[in-house]
Amino acid sequence: MRARRPRIGVLAAENSSALLDEARALCEGVTGVRIGDRVFGPATFHGPTAGAAEYALMLAWARIPEGVTAEQAAALPMAAETAWRALDDLGVRPGELLLVHGAGTTVGEAAVRLALHRGIRVIATAGPTRAAALEEIGARVTAYGEGMAERVGARAEGRVDRALDTTPTGGRIDRADRPSPAGGSLPTLIELTGDPDRVLTVSDFAAAAELGVRITTEIRYDRMDEFARLAGEGILVVPVARTYSPGAAGAVSRSMVRPCSWLAWASSAFAWATLRLRCGMSSA
């Protein structure tokens, strides 16, 4: 049975001092973690802080592995969780050929990395920014846009078994009742796989409902330790383009208007800060 989506609190800096003192007092008798340990986990990005805060309460967390920076760890939870869940819900198996559409996004690249680690063959569509990096880890990369179906078909040399849409340019959770024109890229992915049930999207929910494509929405964080292990081994890497101070987070989120900004910003805001204090809760 899947876990319910956790309700996770974020503490604004001006309200955190008294609560932090109380948390220190509650730490007496807690084992497995100490004040000063480097840990990471998801924080809610709803509300006025957009996930940016000096302190946060987390229901799921893991230790930051050696060699992984705080910024890299902060970008892991949403990208890794969404990619892992999407691959599971799509039902892709080792040896199958998977098309990851939008592999240049944070979720898309995480899906490529996890799929390759599972023994799945991958064709990835991406722009020039991440194409070389995706080729280097073992994906067969082609450009998206006009002629994509023909290019993917040539790289596949046969039928694509399953397709995962990780692009943020279709219907989104903030306007789920407005599908992208003609279902965006989903008709092409259906054409390539031959069956809408073999296609899953993480964003274009309205078009998916019209076309019979799978979706995945139920967030769960029971794999945090696994994400940490894979990050420590260099298998799971989420590229961080830039970092911002918490005070600049609101302005940055309002200024992001490019099509590819939605998933990139969400994955950063979802786990903005790694915590230096954590007590009273067990590791997920």
Side-chain angles (χ1 to χ4, degrees), residues 45-66:
F45 57 89
H46 300 295
T49 67
E54 185 177 1
Y55 300 103
L57 301 176
M58 297 183 298
L59 297 182
W61 60 277
R63 296 180 184 276
I64 299 177
E66 292 296 326

Side-chain angles (χ1 to χ4, degrees), residues 14-269:
E14 61 269 20
N15 299 323
S16 62
S17 180
L19 289 172
L20 188 57
D21 289 339
E22 183 177 349
R24 287 197 178 98
L26 290 173
C27 278
E28 293 183 11
V30 172
T31 60
V33 67
R34 298 177 301 176
I35 293 176
D37 286 351
R38 293 200 322 146
V39 301
F40 73 103
T44 181
F45 57 89
H46 300 295
T49 67
E54 185 177 1
Y55 300 103
L57 301 176
M58 297 183 298
L59 297 182
W61 60 277
R63 296 180 184 276
I64 299 177
E66 292 296 326
V68 176
T69 68
E71 292 80 7
Q72 290 169 330
L76 273 173
M78 185 178 183
E81 188 279 334
T82 304
W84 187 289
R85 170 167 43 90
L87 293 173
D88 284 353
D89 289 357
L90 182 55
V92 61
R93 296 185 294 269
E96 288 189 329
L97 180 60
L98 170 69
L99 170 62
V100 178
H101 180 48
T105 63
T106 52
V107 173
E109 183 163 339
V112 170
R113 290 176 174 273
L114 290 173
L116 291 170
H117 181 63
R118 295 182 182 189
I120 298 163
R121 298 175 295 133
V122 177
I123 294 177
T125 68
T129 302
R130 299 301 300 167
L134 291 165
E135 288 273 9
E136 187 176 343
I137 61 176
R140 286 175 271 176
V141 182
T142 188
Y144 47 78
E146 187 177 353
M148 183 185 78
E150 291 75 16
R151 290 191 298 274
V152 170
R155 301 301 300 270
E157 300 177 353
R159 175 76 68 187
V160 173
D161 292 308
R162 300 179 194 271
L164 173 59
D165 170 38
T166 62
T167 63
T169 54
R172 306 181 191 174
I173 57 174
D174 60 343
R175 54 178 180 86
D177 60 329
R178 294 171 55 194
S180 52
S185 58
L186 295 185
T188 300
L189 303 188
I190 294 170
E191 176 189 344
L192 287 165
T193 61
D195 185 350
D197 194 50
R198 289 178 170 267
V199 179
L200 183 146
T201 179
V202 301
S203 64
D204 205 346
F205 302 144
E210 292 182 1
L211 298 170
V213 167
R214 295 189 188 196
I215 63 171
T216 180
T217 59
E218 193 171 350
I219 299 173
R220 50 191 186 270
Y221 284 104
D222 55 351
R223 296 282 185 174
M224 289 295 298
D225 288 333
E226 181 72 1
F227 299 158
R229 183 185 68 80
L230 293 172
E233 294 175 1
I235 295 168
L236 185 56
V237 179
V238 178
V240 177
R242 66 184 66 177
T243 61
Y244 301 90
S245 66
V252 171
S253 64
R254 288 190 297 271
S255 69
M256 289 209 169
V257 295
R258 293 181 300 167
C260 289
S261 297
W262 179 71
L263 285 182
W265 169 247
S267 64
S268 298

